[in-house]
Amino acid sequence: MAKCATVSIYDAKARLSHLVDRALQGDEVVITRHGRPVARLVPVGRARAPRRLGALRGKIRVSKDIDAPLPDDVLDLFEGSSR
């Protein structure tokens, strides 16, 4: 089970390498200033898989009139004007 370590900024500066190792092992490291929590040391998440082109093919539909002019009342909402 992960443990929680709370250290002051002063101690964190002196033991940064050790605290990073603890975070990598799953422990939560909270850094405090004047007794108040100000930061949490956590490992960087794993990189996501690259996006695959065409992954949504067949799952979404675009209307044939997507590039048709907007109705005047809707256009007014976007432009902030009234005709």
Side-chain angles (χ1 to χ4, degrees), residues 37-71:
V38 294
R40 181 177 295 135
L41 186 60
V42 296
V44 174
R46 292 196 170 119
R48 288 190 249 167
R51 293 182 183 165
R52 198 176 49 118
L53 293 178
L56 294 177
R57 182 172 303 198
K59 297 180 181 177
I60 60 172
R61 185 180 69 80
V62 177
S63 175
K64 291 184 190 248
D65 64 348
I66 184 113
D67 56 353
L70 293 172

Side-chain angles (χ1 to χ4, degrees), residues 24-44:
L24 288 172
Q25 293 172 5
D27 291 349
E28 180 177 332
V29 180
V30 176
I31 301 172
T32 63
R33 177 185 288 151
H34 305 293
R36 296 180 133 171
V38 294
R40 181 177 295 135
L41 186 60
V42 296
V44 174

